[in-house]
Amino acid sequence: MQIDTQVESALVLLAQGNAEQALRVLQNCLQQNPGHAGALHGMACVARAGGENRAAVALAAKAVQLQAEPHFHITLGLALLAEGQIEAARAAIHVAVLASPRDPRAHDAMASVLEAQHRIAEAERALRTTIRLRPLEQERHLALAAFLSRHGQLEKAIEVSGKALRLDTQNLFAQNLHGMILHGAGKAAEAEPYFRVVAAELPTSAPALANHGAALFATRSYEQARDVLAKSVQLEPEAAETRSNLGLVHMALGQLENAAQELQLACALQQNDARLMLNYATALADLGENERAEALFRKAETLAGKGMDAARARMNLGVLYLAEGRFAQGWKLFAARRQIVAPPACAAGLPQWDGTPQESPVLLYAEQGLGDVLQFLRYVAPAARRVPVLLYVPQSIRSFVQQVDMARLPNVTVCTSQRTLKAKAKAACGLMSLPDVLGMEAPFAWQPDIAGVQKSAPGKKSALHVGLCWAGNPTYQFDRRRSIHPQVLEPLGRLNNIVFQSLQKNAEAQQTPFPMAQLPQGDVLDTFRIMAGLDVVITVDTMIAHLGGLLGLPVLLLDRFGGDWRWAAGSTITQPDGEVRSLWYPSVRVIRQPQAGEGDAPWQPCIATVVQVLQKMAEKRTDMVP
């Protein structure tokens, strides 16, 4: 009885994390009685906790021979499983299930074996059995939640981990697991409070801080994310994932040099991680170090093999080529995006059109943002000369497409519903794939017939009418770099003889530094009509730049340092006077940030240039008025 008590105390010590003291107690027990089954089993548990599974198998097997307790069989089975002896593990744990069918530990162990055998449905049933046996034990719910998360059943996992958390809201492990499942399901905003609690309770835990920082980054709370991730890196300098996330935060804030430094360190810590390499290569490309970026993209593709990261590497390399003007190669590599982003339902399952002339209809569908749709609409007419075209675009841009000349082409049908498209179309092609399949490599200007567009803005008077768009979609992870705080526009408000029109959606939520007419609610065509009555448009990289370019309006595009490929060197021309003009839209002048940086400072030189341009335009307008 005294040895049994000592064994129990040893197992308590082990559960508390004190394996060394537990080992000493058990060794003392075995000195008193070398054949004590409970002590041998305790030694097997200590061996398992230390990762010495072969020793655990030998010790647990000896204990079972001496005394066939069900929980001895569980320990033996789990040690065998860790050694890769799956069938032997199943046999041992099966004995425990038969001997003690109401012991949740036996069913939990069997679930581990079934999962190793890829019998996922049976493993889930075993875990649910443990919950029926112990519905108030939090660890049973947590085990099922973790299992469901591992197997991609994230909504079910969230439900189960939520139930677990309600059983004990103070359990940090439960809070952390619930946060991780939410974050994995793309619900970073919901996960952040749970990670925040864990990090506050464990302020010296690098993993806890790393989780919180990653959630803050995903919710675009960049300054907080930077502080939290920096603390995590100080505690654990060799955490590659944390350094990579810190680098991405620096990228989002515009601190490209700092980003490249952190991402390089992350790659050095995990040299064969294609995903980390892609992040580093992207930072180098934004810095203009194209040769190094190209080499890394190629290396990442080789490392990734045929997975999703390989497709990302090819697509990013394609973007790099497009930015440089290497269009023939760029378009082909850029096609890798089809492996990353699924087409709309109406195009799913249809063969990819390769540009060959045919009598059967081809579905051309919109990709990515509205600006991308506007840019690549110019390829619809050339495609329609080869095949009958069924054109499918988002509802918000459909009325605009129906208004311009392509909707009146005899071989183009602008479709309003996905229901009948699949039955009619015999092949499909994304709009952004058309340059490749049509063999039209280089950019070319296009101005649609807009004769039928009626202006909604007031007629031109002596004042210069200027449209302003200062921010893009805030849900874009790196929107902070391309968007401008409206207060930065304040110097424009000091100019005379100018009337400003906001082209910013939801502008009522932002305080503008000077009065301007607000943009009425409406679709793309409504915005187009407003813009048709303007003299000039000033915008960051959004759909507005494309609309202005299609109108042939003078557009001053404020482009971030390391901006999008379509405004880079390959798609622009520098004129003798130093102005940079778009090859896609000749009326668009690109005004780039001279250097990267955080906050408003990198935009100041751009705004100064805009002030000079507007002054000259306003003076000319005044001179023309009698």
Side-chain angles (χ1 to χ4, degrees), residues 33 87 289 298 362 406 452:
N33 182 357
E87 188 52 41
E289 299 187 33
R298 291 192 179 281
V362 171
M406 72 182 60

Side-chain angles (χ1 to χ4, degrees), residues 372-492:
D372 300 293
V373 179
L374 290 169
Q375 181 181 359
F376 287 86
L377 280 176
R378 69 195 68 207
Y379 292 99
V380 173
R385 289 194 284 270
R386 301 189 188 187
V387 292
V389 167
L390 302 174
L391 180 61
Y392 184 77
V393 295
Q395 177 65 42
S396 60
I397 202 170
R398 199 167 295 154
S399 59
F400 170 81
V401 172
Q402 290 171 327
Q403 183 70 51
V404 299
D405 57 352
M406 72 182 60
R408 297 187 290 276
L409 294 173
N411 223 20
V412 175
T413 303
V414 181
C415 301
T416 58
S417 172
Q418 294 195 50
R419 294 181 181 178
T420 58
L421 275 176
K422 214 164 186 179
K424 293 181 179 179
K426 302 304 179 185
C429 184
L431 287 176
M432 300 179 81
S433 290
L434 288 176
D436 182 35
V437 302
L438 295 174
M440 303 175 69
E441 297 169 3
F444 67 93
W446 172 67
Q447 190 171 354
D449 178 6
I450 56 171
V453 176
Q454 294 181 349
K455 300 176 183 179
S456 296
K460 296 180 181 180
K461 298 179 181 179
S462 60
L464 193 70
H465 286 75
V466 178
L468 284 177
C469 180
W470 56 87
N473 186 343
T475 62
Y476 171 53
Q477 188 69 67
F478 295 97
D479 180 65
R480 182 82 70 88
R481 282 174 60 197
R482 72 167 173 182
S483 293
I484 301 176
H485 192 281
Q487 288 301 128
V488 179
L489 304 174
E490 190 272 336
L492 305 184

Side-chain angles (χ1 to χ4, degrees), residues 84-417:
Q85 302 181 47
I86 298 177
E87 188 52 41
R90 189 205 63 78
I93 293 171
H94 184 63
V95 172
V97 171
L98 291 176
S100 54
R102 298 195 62 77
D103 185 346
R105 296 174 299 175
H107 295 282
D108 183 82
M110 183 57 78
S112 297
V113 172
L114 292 168
E115 184 178 10
Q117 293 178 322
H118 306 291
R119 296 159 66 178
I120 305 304
E122 293 173 75
E124 182 180 341
R125 285 197 292 271
L127 288 171
R128 291 192 181 277
T129 297
T130 70
I131 291 175
R132 286 196 295 273
L133 292 169
R134 298 287 192 277
L136 298 181
E137 285 187 5
Q138 188 182 50
E139 65 179 295
R140 305 302 166 198
H141 296 269
L142 293 174
L144 176 58
F147 171 87
L148 293 169
S149 178
R150 284 195 300 275
H151 294 283
Q153 302 181 58
L154 295 177
E155 290 302 322
K156 288 168 66 176
I158 291 170
E159 180 183 356
V160 174
S161 65
K163 288 180 181 178
L165 196 55
R166 288 193 290 273
L167 291 171
D168 181 2
T169 58
Q170 303 305 309
N171 186 311
L172 288 183
F173 178 80
Q175 296 240 24
N176 193 62
L177 179 63
H178 191 56
M180 291 183 72
I181 295 172
L182 286 167
H183 195 268
K187 300 182 178 182
E190 296 177 48
E192 189 274 327
Y194 297 99
F195 287 141
R196 188 196 320 145
V197 169
V198 176
E201 290 294 322
L202 303 173
T204 59
S205 168
L209 292 169
N211 286 341
H212 188 212
L216 288 167
F217 170 59
T219 56
R220 293 172 288 284
S221 302
Y222 299 126
E223 287 82 3
Q224 289 178 270
R226 178 171 54 189
D227 292 343
V228 172
L229 290 169
K231 289 178 184 176
S232 181
V233 165
Q234 287 177 348
L235 291 166
E236 192 174 338
E238 296 189 357
E241 188 72 27
T242 308
R243 283 199 177 275
S244 183
N245 284 338
L246 180 56
L248 292 174
V249 169
H250 283 309
M251 276 188 69
L253 287 168
Q255 295 284 1
L256 298 184
E257 294 286 354
N258 292 345
Q261 181 180 350
E262 291 294 339
L263 294 168
Q264 183 179 26
L265 288 169
C267 285
L269 290 167
Q270 288 183 201
Q271 296 183 15
N272 294 321
D273 191 315
R275 184 175 47 84
L276 298 184
M277 198 172 293
L278 285 173
N279 291 340
Y280 180 35
T282 301
L284 290 174
D286 280 2
L287 282 167
E289 299 187 33
N290 290 1
E291 288 186 11
R292 294 176 63 194
E294 179 177 347
L296 282 175
F297 283 138
R298 291 192 179 281
K299 187 176 180 180
E301 181 183 358
T302 301
L303 285 173
K306 296 182 179 180
M308 193 69 74
D309 284 335
R312 291 191 181 96
R314 286 194 298 276
M315 184 187 74
N316 288 343
L317 182 58
V319 169
L320 182 68
Y321 282 3
L322 294 176
E324 293 178 336
R326 299 155 71 179
F327 290 102
Q329 297 166 283
W331 294 128
K332 293 187 183 302
L333 289 165
F334 191 52
R337 72 193 181 282
R338 295 199 298 266
Q339 296 175 245
I340 302 169
V341 181
C346 57
L350 289 173
Q352 177 73 15
W353 182 51
D354 62 1
T356 303
Q358 62 184 52
E359 295 182 0
S360 303
V362 171
L363 167 63
L364 302 183
Y365 59 87
E367 298 181 79
Q368 300 187 25
L370 294 180
D372 300 293
V373 179
L374 290 169
Q375 181 181 359
F376 287 86
L377 280 176
R378 69 195 68 207
Y379 292 99
V380 173
R385 289 194 284 270
R386 301 189 188 187
V387 292
V389 167
L390 302 174
L391 180 61
Y392 184 77
V393 295
Q395 177 65 42
S396 60
I397 202 170
R398 199 167 295 154
S399 59
F400 170 81
V401 172
Q402 290 171 327
Q403 183 70 51
V404 299
D405 57 352
M406 72 182 60
R408 297 187 290 276
L409 294 173
N411 223 20
V412 175
T413 303
V414 181
C415 301
T416 58
S417 172

Side-chain angles (χ1 to χ4, degrees), residues 457 464-470 489 492 498-504 514 516-519 527 530-540 542 544-545 548 553-558 610 614 617:
L464 193 70
H465 286 75
V466 178
L468 284 177
C469 180
W470 56 87
L489 304 174
L492 305 184
I498 294 180
V499 175
F500 289 100
Q501 164 70 57
S502 171
L503 300 175
Q504 189 69 47
F514 48 83
M516 64 179 74
Q518 296 303 302
L519 183 69
T527 302
I530 292 286
M531 292 174 63
L534 300 174
D535 297 301
V536 61
V537 168
I538 302 163
T539 180
V540 294
T542 70
I544 296 300
L553 274 175
V555 175
L556 304 179
L557 173 68
L558 306 177
V610 170
L614 290 185
M617 294 182 73

